[in-house]
Amino acid sequence: MAVEPAVYGASERPPRGDYTRAGSDYTCEQDYAAYTEEDHDTYRRLYERQAALVPGRACDEFIRALPSLGAKERIPHFDEINARLRKATGWEIVTVPGLIPEVPFFTLLANRRFPVTDWIRKPHEFDYIVEPDVFHDLFGHVPLLFDPVFADHMQEYGKGGLKAHGLQACELLSRLYWYTIEFGLIAQDDGLRAYGAGILSSPGELLHAVEGPAPQRLPLDIERVMRTRYKIDSYQQTYFVIESFQELFDKTAPDFTPVYERVKALPEIAAEAPTVEAEPAT
């Protein structure tokens, strides 16, 4: 039976990607021969632009691991990255045709397998793309999988996602993913840095998140995060800051079942809300 793509957010077009290539777990082989010289050139230019911006703005763990992606002048072969990644943390990247549903996504993470889209944006999308492509997934996400603590956190997130699915709490957990794994900030001794993939792979968001005067930056509070809506088509107005990856691991380790119940009873918070709205009287 053919698998179906996932759709997140509003879009007038169906998700791109050839889902006929995918197996029941949504993985497939990287179609490396399909990349054109234009595709490789787009990757090279994206990599060069972003690599020039991350020093002093990306966390130390990301900077140390970035060379482990290998090739800069072309789209890397995933199996070449995996040879290094398995040795470092026991993770591997697997090819997917595009966005995939929650349960297959969580299942892959729970088994230390990170899904990477293999198609790349077109030149006219160089500065902005709605759906994650191979550059976002590789450059933004994969380097931190070489860090042992972050790698363990990602696996536990996958396990927690499978549990959240059974509790009808995936929307709440997706907000945690958004504000940490995609758009998280970390306070290093030498200043504020980014570790979220959505920041690290975007030149505008990187400058906005780390150096911009407008966003509010709050200490990571799990319940606040789960109550906070997010924006998918503009820079974030709220970011959450951790002190270390160990803090992220420790704060997401407890059973979230009672947290979900509390959060479901409270009002949501707008993405740009400066303070928590008054809670109902008990």
Side-chain angles (χ1 to χ4, degrees), residues 106 156-177 222-227 251-267:
F106 294 143
E156 293 306 309
Y157 181 89
K159 294 177 182 178
L162 293 173
K163 185 173 182 179
H165 181 78
L167 297 170
Q168 290 76 53
C170 283
E171 173 59 26
L172 301 182
L173 198 64
S174 72
R175 293 174 181 174
L176 180 63
Y177 189 96
I222 299 299
E223 294 193 20
R224 168 71 198 256
V225 169
M226 288 186 181
R227 293 176 59 193
K251 284 190 173 180
T252 56
D255 179 9
F256 281 165
T257 303
V259 178
Y260 295 145
E261 293 305 311
R262 288 196 299 272
V263 171
K264 287 177 181 178
L266 296 172

Side-chain angles (χ1 to χ4, degrees), residues 59 61-62 65-66 68-69 81-82 84-94 108-109 112-116 137-157 177 181 195 197 200 245:
C59 66
E61 293 86 351
F62 179 89
L66 186 58
S68 296
L69 289 184
I81 296 174
N82 280 336
R84 297 183 286 272
L85 186 55
R86 291 191 190 103
K87 181 186 245 184
T89 59
W91 273 80
E92 65 177 2
I93 59 176
V94 292
L108 289 173
L109 295 187
R112 295 178 92 87
R113 306 176 79 204
F114 190 84
V116 174
D137 284 346
L138 282 183
F139 191 98
H141 284 287
V142 173
L144 285 182
L145 292 176
F146 283 86
D147 179 81
V149 178
F150 191 85
D152 287 347
H153 165 69
M154 287 293 289
Q155 182 177 29
E156 293 306 309
Y157 181 89
Y177 189 96
I181 296 166
Y195 72 90
L200 293 168
F245 289 144

Side-chain angles (χ1 to χ4, degrees), residues 189-212:
D189 290 342
D190 55 351
L192 190 68
R193 300 290 187 267
Y195 72 90
I199 304 175
L200 293 168
S201 62
S202 166
E205 188 95 33
L206 181 59
L207 296 175
H208 172 79
V210 176
E211 300 173 1

Side-chain angles (χ1 to χ4, degrees), residues 1-273:
M1 183 175 67
V3 298
E4 297 294 330
V7 179
Y8 300 113
S11 177
E12 295 181 356
R13 63 173 175 76
R16 69 180 75 180
D18 180 8
Y19 286 78
T20 64
R21 300 163 50 210
S24 59
D25 64 353
Y26 281 83
T27 67
C28 54
E29 293 296 319
Q30 183 186 19
D31 190 3
Y32 200 85
Y35 296 131
T36 65
E37 286 305 311
E38 181 180 74
D39 292 335
H40 288 299
D41 185 63
T42 296
Y43 182 89
R44 177 190 61 77
R45 292 189 297 121
L46 286 166
Y47 191 108
E48 287 180 351
R49 179 177 69 174
Q50 210 61 19
L53 290 173
V54 295
R57 300 184 180 98
C59 66
D60 291 343
E61 293 86 351
F62 179 89
I63 296 294
R64 283 197 297 267
L66 186 58
S68 296
L69 289 184
K72 305 174 186 179
E73 72 285 351
R74 60 174 174 83
I75 299 169
H77 288 273
F78 292 177
D79 57 355
E80 293 176 357
I81 296 174
N82 280 336
R84 297 183 286 272
L85 186 55
R86 291 191 190 103
K87 181 186 245 184
T89 59
W91 273 80
E92 65 177 2
I93 59 176
V94 292
T95 308
V96 291
L99 291 172
I100 66 176
E102 291 166 340
V103 170
F105 177 71
F106 294 143
T107 300
L108 289 173
L109 295 187
N111 288 282
R112 295 178 92 87
R113 306 176 79 204
F114 190 84
V116 174
T117 302
D118 65 346
W119 56 261
I120 192 164
R121 69 194 73 181
K122 298 302 181 184
H124 70 272
E125 301 169 303
F126 190 81
D127 290 321
Y128 176 75
I129 189 170
V130 176
E131 296 169 54
D133 68 345
V134 67
F135 177 75
H136 167 83
D137 284 346
L138 282 183
F139 191 98
H141 284 287
V142 173
L144 285 182
L145 292 176
F146 283 86
D147 179 81
V149 178
F150 191 85
D152 287 347
H153 165 69
M154 287 293 289
Q155 182 177 29
E156 293 306 309
Y157 181 89
K159 294 177 182 178
L162 293 173
K163 185 173 182 179
H165 181 78
L167 297 170
Q168 290 76 53
C170 283
E171 173 59 26
L172 301 182
L173 198 64
S174 72
R175 293 174 181 174
L176 180 63
Y177 189 96
W178 186 267
Y179 281 116
T180 57
I181 296 166
E182 286 289 355
F183 290 95
L185 296 175
I186 185 169
Q188 295 186 170
D189 290 342
D190 55 351
L192 190 68
R193 300 290 187 267
Y195 72 90
I199 304 175
L200 293 168
S201 62
S202 166
E205 188 95 33
L206 181 59
L207 296 175
H208 172 79
V210 176
E211 300 173 1
Q216 63 172 340
R217 303 173 181 91
L218 307 175
L220 180 65
D221 178 294
I222 299 299
E223 294 193 20
R224 168 71 198 256
V225 169
M226 288 186 181
R227 293 176 59 193
T228 305
R229 297 191 295 271
Y230 55 82
K231 296 178 177 293
I232 65 170
D233 55 359
S234 65
Y235 296 156
Q236 304 305 302
Q237 295 304 308
T238 300
Y239 298 93
F240 292 89
V241 184
I242 60 173
E243 298 293 327
S244 68
F245 289 144
Q246 190 62 52
E247 178 196 359
L248 180 63
F249 184 89
D250 292 343
K251 284 190 173 180
T252 56
D255 179 9
F256 281 165
T257 303
V259 178
Y260 295 145
E261 293 305 311
R262 288 196 299 272
V263 171
K264 287 177 181 178
L266 296 172
E268 293 184 328
I269 299 172
E272 64 278 5

